[in-house]
Amino acid sequence: MTTPAPRFAGVVPPVVTPLTEEGAVDVASLERLIERMLSAGVDGIFALGSSGETVFLTDSQRDQALEVVVKTVAGAVPVIAGCIEPTTRRVLDRADASTRLGVDGLVATAPFYAIVGPYEVERHFRSLAASVELPLLAYDIPVCVHTKLSPGLLSQLAVEGVLAGVKDSSGDDVAFRQLVLAITERAPDAGFSLLTGHEVVVDAMMLAGASGSVPGLANVDPAGYVRLHRACVNGDWDTARVEQDRLTRLFRIVDAADPATAAGATRGVGAFKTALALLGVIDSNTVSLPMRPLDADEAARVRAQLELAGLL
């Protein structure tokens, strides 16, 4: 008897949301971006995550972006949608909208802004799962929500079928390794998706037992992450390391923004969008306020890394 494969696995890029210079969703650019990812062989799409600027967008912008993603993917790969809101009822509103728009799975963080403890976090995920029909994945991103999801809680919710997987952006690779072991020991037949968002150590996380990755940098180089994933699956760790090293160097684009006037999402999302604009995939590197787009000098630094990576 074989262990069931996770439904959500492989390379699942957290797609950025291209914007016009006026701040509207750039539909044509988003379509090109998705088509490029599909052509590269990705295994899924994560819409409206952190790279997608979901907390910056209005509900109408979120709905429009998600509608474009689902329509463009056209069933070729699963689409999972971020339902990133501070409290349970608000998450369920986004889950309802995402379900109507035709996604295949839902992603939610622990509650934030509201002061909560472990019991409220557990109640949050149980309440969400009881109220939605689609598979629910937990998004572990303590840098944004100030709560770390423990391996004990995640594995228990996996055992009970409450959660279908986790997107781990905690940066806590020890905890992720413990979670992999806990799932192996406690829920080997759950088909639980173990997705790492730590784009510079995907090879290591795959060796540890990850199901796949959700790397923001895959917006820029989806084909590179597909090659990396395939090498890992085939046990070709030498090839995987070479590809991971190239991608890790490419990740230096997040250092292009001047730290005196930019931090956090401006550095990451701003760099990804600038790279995509330089590659001709999207029309503008516009980002949502209070972020700012990278300027010409910063874009030149991004271009230099794209050239070193063989993308330009």
Side-chain angles (χ1 to χ4, degrees):
M1 186 173 181
T2 59
T3 300
R7 181 176 180 185
F8 308 105
V11 181
V12 186
V15 62
V16 303
T17 306
L19 302 173
T20 67
E21 292 183 0
E22 294 73 32
V25 175
D26 184 343
V27 172
S29 289
L30 181 53
E31 290 172 342
R32 288 196 299 272
L33 179 58
I34 295 296
E35 289 166 356
R36 179 172 180 258
M37 290 177 173
L38 294 176
S39 295
V42 303
D43 303 287
I45 298 290
F46 177 25
L48 301 179
S50 302
S51 294
E53 297 174 67
T54 186
V55 297
F56 298 91
L57 303 177
T58 65
D59 280 343
S60 62
Q61 286 177 310
R62 290 167 169 175
D63 289 349
Q64 183 182 18
L66 195 51
E67 184 176 15
V68 172
V69 170
V70 171
K71 182 179 178 181
T72 307
V73 170
V77 296
V79 175
I80 55 177
C83 302
I84 314 301
E85 292 285 352
T87 55
T88 309
R89 181 64 260 174
R90 295 178 66 89
V91 173
L92 288 173
D93 287 346
R94 285 309 310 162
D96 289 344
S98 301
T99 301
R100 288 196 305 271
L101 290 167
V103 304
D104 302 289
L106 306 169
V107 183
T109 68
F112 55 94
Y113 188 83
I115 299 173
V116 297
Y119 298 106
E120 288 85 3
V121 172
E122 180 175 354
R123 192 175 301 119
H124 173 70
F125 283 113
R126 289 186 182 279
S127 298
L128 293 176
S131 301
V132 300
E133 296 180 359
L134 295 175
L136 176 67
L137 291 85
Y139 191 173
D140 191 11
I141 185 164
V143 69
C144 292
V145 304
H146 307 295
T147 296
K148 175 73 181 78
L149 301 177
S150 71
L153 173 61
L154 291 170
S155 59
Q156 181 61 38
L157 296 179
V159 168
E160 297 181 30
V162 174
L163 292 176
V166 62
K167 191 258 182 174
D168 183 276
S169 293
S170 68
D172 187 343
D173 295 335
V174 173
F176 186 76
R177 185 69 179 259
Q178 292 288 1
L179 176 61
V180 172
L181 285 175
I183 295 297
T184 301
E185 293 164 353
R186 303 185 62 196
D189 299 324
F192 192 79
S193 297
L194 290 154
L195 303 172
T196 178
H198 205 172
E199 51 246 289
V200 300
V201 290
V202 171
D203 57 345
M205 296 303 97
M206 289 294 294
L207 182 59
S211 312
S213 60
V214 188
L217 191 61
N219 282 278
V220 180
D221 192 0
Y225 277 98
V226 169
R227 289 193 297 270
L228 171 58
H229 181 81
R230 290 175 179 169
C232 292
V233 170
N234 292 332
D236 186 354
W237 298 109
D238 290 337
T239 297
R241 176 165 185 168
V242 170
E243 191 64 50
Q244 181 70 84
D245 284 347
R246 188 185 67 83
L247 291 165
T248 300
R249 294 186 187 96
L250 177 60
F251 192 67
R252 293 170 182 166
I253 62 174
V254 304
D255 297 323
D258 183 351
T261 59
T266 299
R267 296 175 67 241
V269 178
F272 298 158
K273 284 190 167 183
T274 298
L276 287 165
L278 290 169
L279 292 169
V281 180
I282 66 176
D283 290 340
S284 172
N285 70 342
T286 300
V287 291
S288 304
L289 287 169
M291 295 187 290
R292 66 161 179 84
L294 272 59
D295 63 24
D297 289 340
E298 294 164 333
R301 291 194 281 273
V302 173
R303 176 181 287 276
Q305 294 299 333
L306 292 174
E307 290 172 348
L308 286 172
L311 298 178
L312 276 178

